[in-house]
Amino acid sequence: MNNRLPFRDLLRDLPPPLRRAVHEAVAECQPVYTPRLYARDWQEELYHEAAYAALQAQRTYNPRKGSLYRWGKRVIKQHLQKFCDKAWAVTRSELSPPCDEETEDEVEFIDEAAEDAYEMVGLKLDVQQVWKQLSKTERYVWALMAKYSSYRQVAVRMGWSHEKVRRYWNKLKAKIRALLAAESNSEGGESDESA
């Protein structure tokens, strides 16, 4: 393992008092738990932020006001405090996923629109085989759902109610599934006969 100080290359252009201030400020800033957003690279983020603050301290340093180390550490600590507060605010605003009380497994919420869009991708591959068996209206509704994936947008274009589009779409999907199943059964039957 490399025995060099962490992020030596990042800090090599800083004067030694500021390097020391960076290392000490980061060491003092280490929380027991890291924000989930930075779970794997928290220390790296702290060093990057501290190096940035050290450059600011170097630019704003006035030798008549005290030592570079003290000024640098003050600026770096203030900057790291703001950065940490912001990171923890984001983490606090994230909700953990809901869990089943008995099994403690994450509970999934079903998004019908997303399921329809995902299902559509699979159906599109096979639908060409049964496309000719659909009516003109069915083809049009299929094309609109493929384009918009939204009952509301299809309802506007068809002049139907949202509920009518939903019912029609569910019936159409069932019909296409039945046609596809019949198609795959006929293909499966042919291959069984030839064997």
Side-chain angles (χ1 to χ4, degrees):
M1 178 153 174
N2 192 353
N3 290 335
R4 291 174 24 181
L5 290 173
F7 309 101
R8 185 176 187 161
D9 294 338
L10 180 67
L11 306 175
R12 74 170 170 248
D13 295 333
L14 292 174
L18 283 180
R19 273 187 252 153
R20 193 172 110 221
V22 165
H23 288 298
E24 288 180 13
V26 168
E28 291 173 13
C29 192
Q30 293 294 335
V32 175
Y33 302 105
T34 59
R36 192 166 70 174
L37 183 64
Y38 300 104
R40 293 197 174 105
D41 54 359
W42 179 241
Q43 186 177 25
E44 183 178 344
E45 284 297 323
L46 290 177
Y47 266 99
H48 282 282
E49 292 295 325
Y52 170 77
L55 290 173
Q56 296 293 342
Q58 188 175 13
R59 258 188 247 130
T60 58
Y61 174 60
N62 181 350
R64 289 180 273 162
K65 298 267 180 162
S67 74
L68 178 60
Y69 165 77
R70 286 181 55 191
W71 173 250
K73 189 163 179 188
R74 180 177 165 202
V75 170
I76 294 165
K77 283 181 76 170
Q78 287 174 352
H79 181 78
L80 287 179
Q81 185 63 50
K82 287 178 187 174
F83 173 74
C84 291
D85 289 348
K86 192 183 214 181
W88 280 106
V90 169
T91 300
R92 278 191 297 275
S93 69
E94 293 177 351
L95 296 175
S96 58
C99 294
D100 185 299
E101 289 179 8
E102 293 177 9
T103 63
E104 295 184 12
D105 292 336
E106 284 186 19
V107 176
E108 292 186 34
F109 292 98
I110 298 170
D111 181 359
E112 284 185 26
E115 275 189 350
D116 285 345
Y118 179 75
E119 220 173 88
M120 181 144 349
V121 171
L123 290 175
K124 275 184 182 178
L125 299 174
D126 297 327
V127 80
Q128 293 172 354
Q129 300 167 7
V130 295
W131 187 254
K132 292 177 183 174
Q133 298 175 44
L134 300 178
S135 71
K136 201 173 195 177
T137 304
E138 289 170 334
R139 290 181 195 174
Y140 186 57
V141 169
W142 178 267
L144 289 174
M145 282 301 289
K147 183 174 182 179
Y148 298 109
S149 296
S150 164
Y151 299 139
R152 292 194 195 313
Q153 290 177 339
V154 173
V156 168
R157 278 147 187 86
M158 294 295 294
W160 293 353
S161 70
H162 172 270
E163 187 59 29
K164 182 176 180 179
V165 172
R166 188 186 66 74
R167 282 194 311 267
Y168 192 89
W169 176 242
N170 287 333
K171 285 179 185 175
L172 179 57
K173 286 192 304 184
K175 179 179 179 178
I176 291 171
R177 282 191 199 103
L179 291 170
L180 290 172
E183 187 74 27
S184 68
N185 286 340
S186 68
E187 287 175 6
E190 290 172 9
S191 63
D192 290 341
E193 291 171 12
S194 62

